[in-house]
Amino acid sequence: MRKENTEKDYLGIKVLRFYFKCSNCKSEMTLLTDPKDSDYTVELGGKRIGVPLWKQNERIRLRRLQAWKDSIKMIEEKAMCAQKMLAAEDAISDIFYENKRKANVNIDSVLKNVQKQAKREEEAGLIRDVMKFEKKRSRRGPSEVDTLKSLSVYRPKKKRRKINVRAKTKL
């Protein structure tokens, strides 16, 4: 066995080359140290049997990591499926209750509500007309007051009497 220093180094650690001779066939083998991975590489004349422990551990770690990622992905897919199912159930229940509500509608009550709404709108229109006539009367004069009286909606404004303060103090 012979040891030789090479010009390579890794973080200040020198890479070494070792020369070996096979005891059976007397052929020479060379190995290089690998300080980065705490391992060695067969440079010439031999074949490595087996996988280094750190490479086995790395493979195991990668398999476990992939299995973990797959399980997380599967859980996320199940959660998305459950959310879609809940949304579909909510939509179906909304449709069910809406159909049930529409089925229980009484036509007579709908007609009464429509008639009440029409009556309210008619009254609001009359009030608007009266307000317009009042504004016009105050601007133009008494000619339209007679028109309002004929509609039986006219309510004249009460006139306030002026009290003479001086006259009362003399008493």
Side-chain angles (χ1 to χ4, degrees):
M1 181 174 97
R2 191 176 67 198
K3 177 174 113 176
E4 177 183 296
N5 290 334
T6 60
E7 296 174 4
K8 301 176 189 175
D9 68 75
Y10 176 77
L11 298 175
I13 301 171
K14 292 184 179 183
V15 176
L16 301 174
R17 181 176 284 127
F18 294 97
Y19 295 93
F20 294 96
K21 284 201 175 192
C22 177
S23 58
N24 289 336
C25 63
K26 306 292 182 197
S27 65
E28 190 174 56
M29 297 180 281
T30 58
L31 303 175
L32 274 175
T33 59
D34 185 8
K36 180 179 179 184
D37 295 327
S38 299
D39 196 20
Y40 66 92
T41 58
V42 178
E43 192 175 36
L44 136 43
K47 183 177 178 184
R48 185 172 191 149
I49 299 174
V51 181
L53 185 61
W54 67 271
K55 285 188 179 178
Q56 288 177 349
N57 291 341
E58 184 69 18
R59 287 180 189 163
I60 292 170
R61 189 185 66 79
L62 288 175
R63 280 191 211 131
R64 286 181 183 167
L65 180 65
Q66 188 62 35
W68 181 76
K69 286 180 182 178
D70 291 344
S71 65
I72 294 295
K73 187 176 180 181
M74 190 182 308
I75 291 170
E76 287 174 350
E77 288 174 358
K78 286 181 181 179
M80 291 296 290
C81 183
Q83 285 179 345
K84 287 178 184 177
M85 291 294 289
L86 287 175
E89 287 177 6
D90 286 345
I92 289 170
S93 66
D94 289 345
I95 292 170
F96 174 76
Y97 287 122
E98 187 66 25
N99 288 341
K100 190 174 181 180
R101 186 183 64 83
K102 286 180 181 177
N104 291 334
V105 172
N106 187 356
I107 295 174
D108 294 332
S109 65
V110 171
L111 286 175
K112 286 180 185 178
N113 287 337
V114 169
Q115 289 173 352
K116 286 180 184 178
Q117 184 67 26
K119 188 176 180 182
R120 286 185 196 137
E121 289 175 1
E122 184 180 336
E123 289 174 357
L126 285 175
I127 291 172
R128 273 189 240 115
D129 290 343
V130 168
M131 295 302 285
K132 285 180 186 176
F133 283 127
E134 282 288 325
K135 285 182 181 177
K136 287 180 183 178
R137 183 186 66 83
S138 64
R139 288 184 197 154
R140 292 189 183 163
S143 63
E144 293 187 16
V145 173
D146 298 331
T147 311
L148 290 173
K149 284 181 181 177
S150 67
L151 288 174
S152 73
V153 184
Y154 175 70
R155 292 186 191 139
K157 293 183 179 178
K158 294 182 180 178
K159 293 185 178 180
R160 295 184 185 177
R161 293 190 309 177
K162 292 184 180 179
I163 300 173
N164 192 350
V165 178
R166 292 182 192 161
K168 287 204 173 195
T169 55
K170 291 181 184 177
L171 293 173

